[in-house]
Short mmCIF file of all heavy atoms in Angstrom, two decimals:
data_model
loop_
_atom_site.label_atom_id
_atom_site.label_comp_id
_atom_site.label_asym_id
_atom_site.label_seq_id
_atom_site.Cartn_x
_atom_site.Cartn_y
_atom_site.Cartn_z
N LYS A 173 -4.00 19.36 24.86
CA LYS A 173 -3.35 20.37 25.70
C LYS A 173 -3.85 20.26 27.14
O LYS A 173 -3.08 20.47 28.09
CB LYS A 173 -3.62 21.77 25.14
CG LYS A 173 -2.91 22.07 23.83
CD LYS A 173 -3.15 23.50 23.39
CE LYS A 173 -2.42 23.81 22.10
NZ LYS A 173 -2.93 23.03 20.96
N ILE A 174 -5.14 19.93 27.30
CA ILE A 174 -5.69 19.77 28.64
C ILE A 174 -5.05 18.56 29.31
O ILE A 174 -4.63 18.63 30.48
CB ILE A 174 -7.22 19.61 28.59
CG1 ILE A 174 -7.87 20.83 27.94
CG2 ILE A 174 -7.79 19.40 30.00
CD1 ILE A 174 -9.37 20.70 27.70
N TYR A 175 -4.95 17.45 28.59
CA TYR A 175 -4.28 16.27 29.12
C TYR A 175 -2.84 16.57 29.49
O TYR A 175 -2.35 16.15 30.55
CB TYR A 175 -4.30 15.14 28.08
CG TYR A 175 -5.45 14.19 28.21
CD1 TYR A 175 -6.32 14.00 27.15
CD2 TYR A 175 -5.66 13.47 29.38
CE1 TYR A 175 -7.39 13.11 27.25
CE2 TYR A 175 -6.72 12.59 29.49
CZ TYR A 175 -7.58 12.42 28.42
OH TYR A 175 -8.63 11.54 28.54
N GLU A 176 -2.15 17.29 28.62
CA GLU A 176 -0.75 17.59 28.90
C GLU A 176 -0.61 18.40 30.18
O GLU A 176 0.28 18.14 31.00
CB GLU A 176 -0.13 18.36 27.72
CG GLU A 176 1.35 18.63 27.90
CD GLU A 176 1.97 19.34 26.71
OE1 GLU A 176 1.26 19.59 25.73
OE2 GLU A 176 3.17 19.63 26.78
N ASN A 177 -1.50 19.38 30.37
CA ASN A 177 -1.44 20.20 31.59
C ASN A 177 -1.76 19.38 32.82
O ASN A 177 -1.13 19.55 33.88
CB ASN A 177 -2.40 21.38 31.47
CG ASN A 177 -1.93 22.41 30.47
OD1 ASN A 177 -0.73 22.53 30.19
ND2 ASN A 177 -2.85 23.17 29.90
N ILE A 178 -2.77 18.47 32.71
CA ILE A 178 -3.12 17.61 33.84
C ILE A 178 -1.91 16.76 34.25
O ILE A 178 -1.54 16.69 35.42
CB ILE A 178 -4.32 16.71 33.49
CG1 ILE A 178 -5.60 17.54 33.39
CG2 ILE A 178 -4.49 15.61 34.54
CD1 ILE A 178 -6.79 16.75 32.86
N LEU A 179 -1.31 16.10 33.26
CA LEU A 179 -0.19 15.21 33.56
C LEU A 179 1.04 15.98 34.02
O LEU A 179 1.75 15.55 34.93
CB LEU A 179 0.13 14.36 32.34
CG LEU A 179 -0.90 13.28 32.02
CD1 LEU A 179 -0.62 12.63 30.67
CD2 LEU A 179 -0.94 12.22 33.12
N ARG A 180 1.28 17.14 33.40
CA ARG A 180 2.43 17.94 33.81
C ARG A 180 2.30 18.38 35.27
O ARG A 180 3.27 18.32 36.04
CB ARG A 180 2.57 19.15 32.88
CG ARG A 180 3.94 19.81 32.95
CD ARG A 180 4.04 20.96 31.96
NE ARG A 180 3.89 20.52 30.58
CZ ARG A 180 4.85 19.93 29.88
NH1 ARG A 180 6.01 19.68 30.44
NH2 ARG A 180 4.64 19.59 28.63
N ASP A 181 1.10 18.81 35.66
CA ASP A 181 0.88 19.23 37.05
C ASP A 181 0.98 18.05 38.01
O ASP A 181 1.53 18.18 39.11
CB ASP A 181 -0.49 19.90 37.19
CG ASP A 181 -0.53 21.28 36.54
OD1 ASP A 181 0.55 21.83 36.24
OD2 ASP A 181 -1.64 21.80 36.34
N LEU A 182 0.45 16.90 37.61
CA LEU A 182 0.56 15.71 38.45
C LEU A 182 2.02 15.32 38.64
O LEU A 182 2.46 15.02 39.77
CB LEU A 182 -0.20 14.54 37.83
CG LEU A 182 -1.68 14.39 38.18
CD1 LEU A 182 -2.27 13.23 37.40
CD2 LEU A 182 -1.85 14.15 39.68
N LEU A 183 2.76 15.32 37.56
CA LEU A 183 4.17 14.94 37.64
C LEU A 183 4.97 15.95 38.45
O LEU A 183 5.91 15.59 39.18
CB LEU A 183 4.75 14.79 36.23
CG LEU A 183 4.20 13.60 35.45
CD1 LEU A 183 4.63 13.67 33.99
CD2 LEU A 183 4.66 12.28 36.06
N LYS A 184 4.59 17.22 38.35
CA LYS A 184 5.27 18.25 39.12
C LYS A 184 5.10 18.00 40.62
O LYS A 184 6.01 18.26 41.41
CB LYS A 184 4.71 19.63 38.75
CG LYS A 184 5.52 20.80 39.32
CD LYS A 184 4.90 22.13 38.91
CE LYS A 184 4.98 22.32 37.41
NZ LYS A 184 4.45 23.67 37.02
N SER A 185 3.94 17.45 41.00
CA SER A 185 3.72 17.16 42.42
C SER A 185 4.65 16.05 42.92
O SER A 185 4.84 15.89 44.13
CB SER A 185 2.26 16.77 42.66
OG SER A 185 1.98 15.48 42.15
N TYR A 186 5.21 15.28 41.98
CA TYR A 186 6.21 14.26 42.33
C TYR A 186 7.62 14.72 41.98
O TYR A 186 8.55 13.92 41.94
CB TYR A 186 5.91 12.96 41.58
CG TYR A 186 4.63 12.28 42.01
CD1 TYR A 186 3.49 12.36 41.20
CD2 TYR A 186 4.55 11.57 43.20
CE1 TYR A 186 2.30 11.73 41.58
CE2 TYR A 186 3.37 10.94 43.59
CZ TYR A 186 2.25 11.03 42.78
OH TYR A 186 1.09 10.41 43.17
N ASN A 187 7.76 16.03 41.69
CA ASN A 187 9.05 16.62 41.31
C ASN A 187 9.65 15.94 40.08
O ASN A 187 10.86 15.73 39.99
CB ASN A 187 10.05 16.55 42.48
CG ASN A 187 9.60 17.35 43.67
OD1 ASN A 187 9.20 18.51 43.53
ND2 ASN A 187 9.63 16.74 44.85
N SER A 188 8.77 15.61 39.13
CA SER A 188 9.22 14.93 37.92
C SER A 188 8.89 15.78 36.70
O SER A 188 7.82 16.39 36.63
CB SER A 188 8.54 13.57 37.79
OG SER A 188 8.84 12.97 36.53
N PRO A 189 9.78 15.82 35.71
CA PRO A 189 9.48 16.50 34.44
C PRO A 189 8.55 15.63 33.60
O PRO A 189 8.24 14.49 33.97
CB PRO A 189 10.86 16.64 33.79
CG PRO A 189 11.61 15.45 34.29
CD PRO A 189 11.14 15.23 35.71
N TYR A 190 8.12 16.16 32.46
CA TYR A 190 7.29 15.41 31.51
C TYR A 190 7.97 15.50 30.15
O TYR A 190 7.58 16.29 29.30
CB TYR A 190 5.88 15.98 31.48
CG TYR A 190 4.87 15.17 30.70
CD1 TYR A 190 5.05 13.81 30.45
CD2 TYR A 190 3.72 15.77 30.19
CE1 TYR A 190 4.11 13.08 29.74
CE2 TYR A 190 2.77 15.04 29.48
CZ TYR A 190 2.98 13.70 29.26
OH TYR A 190 2.04 12.96 28.56
N PRO A 191 9.02 14.71 29.93
CA PRO A 191 9.80 14.84 28.70
C PRO A 191 9.02 14.45 27.45
O PRO A 191 8.11 13.62 27.51
CB PRO A 191 10.99 13.89 28.94
CG PRO A 191 10.51 12.93 29.97
CD PRO A 191 9.54 13.67 30.83
N TRP A 192 9.40 15.05 26.33
CA TRP A 192 8.70 14.81 25.07
C TRP A 192 8.67 13.34 24.68
O TRP A 192 7.61 12.84 24.26
CB TRP A 192 9.35 15.64 23.96
CG TRP A 192 8.72 15.43 22.62
CD1 TRP A 192 9.24 14.70 21.58
CD2 TRP A 192 7.46 15.91 22.17
NE1 TRP A 192 8.38 14.72 20.51
CE2 TRP A 192 7.27 15.45 20.84
CE3 TRP A 192 6.45 16.70 22.75
CZ2 TRP A 192 6.14 15.73 20.09
CZ3 TRP A 192 5.32 16.98 21.99
CH2 TRP A 192 5.17 16.51 20.69
N PRO A 193 9.77 12.59 24.75
CA PRO A 193 9.69 11.17 24.37
C PRO A 193 8.66 10.39 25.18
O PRO A 193 8.00 9.49 24.65
CB PRO A 193 11.12 10.65 24.64
CG PRO A 193 11.98 11.87 24.54
CD PRO A 193 11.14 12.98 25.11
N THR A 194 8.49 10.75 26.45
CA THR A 194 7.50 10.07 27.29
C THR A 194 6.09 10.46 26.85
O THR A 194 5.19 9.62 26.79
CB THR A 194 7.70 10.43 28.77
OG1 THR A 194 9.04 10.09 29.15
CG2 THR A 194 6.72 9.68 29.66
N ARG A 195 5.91 11.72 26.54
CA ARG A 195 4.61 12.17 26.07
C ARG A 195 4.20 11.43 24.80
O ARG A 195 3.05 11.00 24.64
CB ARG A 195 4.64 13.68 25.80
CG ARG A 195 3.30 14.22 25.31
CD ARG A 195 3.38 15.69 24.94
NE ARG A 195 2.18 16.08 24.20
CZ ARG A 195 2.06 17.21 23.50
NH1 ARG A 195 3.05 18.07 23.45
NH2 ARG A 195 0.96 17.49 22.86
N MET A 196 5.16 11.25 23.88
CA MET A 196 4.85 10.54 22.64
C MET A 196 4.55 9.07 22.91
O MET A 196 3.73 8.46 22.24
CB MET A 196 6.03 10.66 21.67
CG MET A 196 6.29 12.07 21.17
SD MET A 196 4.80 12.85 20.49
CE MET A 196 4.36 11.68 19.23
N LYS A 197 5.19 8.51 23.91
CA LYS A 197 5.01 7.10 24.23
C LYS A 197 3.60 6.82 24.76
O LYS A 197 3.03 5.77 24.50
CB LYS A 197 6.06 6.68 25.27
CG LYS A 197 6.21 5.19 25.46
CD LYS A 197 7.40 4.90 26.36
CE LYS A 197 7.58 3.41 26.59
NZ LYS A 197 8.75 3.14 27.47
N VAL A 198 3.03 7.78 25.51
CA VAL A 198 1.71 7.54 26.10
C VAL A 198 0.56 7.99 25.21
O VAL A 198 -0.60 7.63 25.45
CB VAL A 198 1.58 8.25 27.48
CG1 VAL A 198 2.68 7.81 28.42
CG2 VAL A 198 1.56 9.77 27.35
N MET A 199 0.84 8.76 24.16
CA MET A 199 -0.23 9.30 23.33
C MET A 199 -1.05 8.19 22.70
O MET A 199 -0.53 7.30 22.03
CB MET A 199 0.35 10.21 22.23
CG MET A 199 -0.72 10.89 21.38
SD MET A 199 -0.02 11.99 20.12
CE MET A 199 0.47 13.39 21.13
N GLY A 200 -2.37 8.22 22.92
CA GLY A 200 -3.27 7.26 22.33
C GLY A 200 -3.44 5.97 23.12
O GLY A 200 -4.22 5.11 22.73
N THR A 201 -2.72 5.82 24.24
CA THR A 201 -2.83 4.60 25.02
C THR A 201 -3.98 4.68 26.03
O THR A 201 -4.51 5.76 26.30
CB THR A 201 -1.53 4.31 25.79
OG1 THR A 201 -1.25 5.40 26.69
CG2 THR A 201 -0.35 4.18 24.83
#
Side-chain angles (χ1 to χ4, degrees):
K173 291 184 179 66
I174 301 174
Y175 267 122
E176 184 178 359
N177 289 335
I178 289 172
L179 288 171
R180 197 177 298 282
D181 288 345
L182 271 176
L183 291 169
K184 190 180 295 183
S185 73
Y186 293 104
N187 297 312
S188 173
Y190 189 23
W192 178 256
T194 304
R195 180 185 167 195
M196 294 308 303
K197 194 172 179 180
V198 304
M199 184 178 285
T201 61

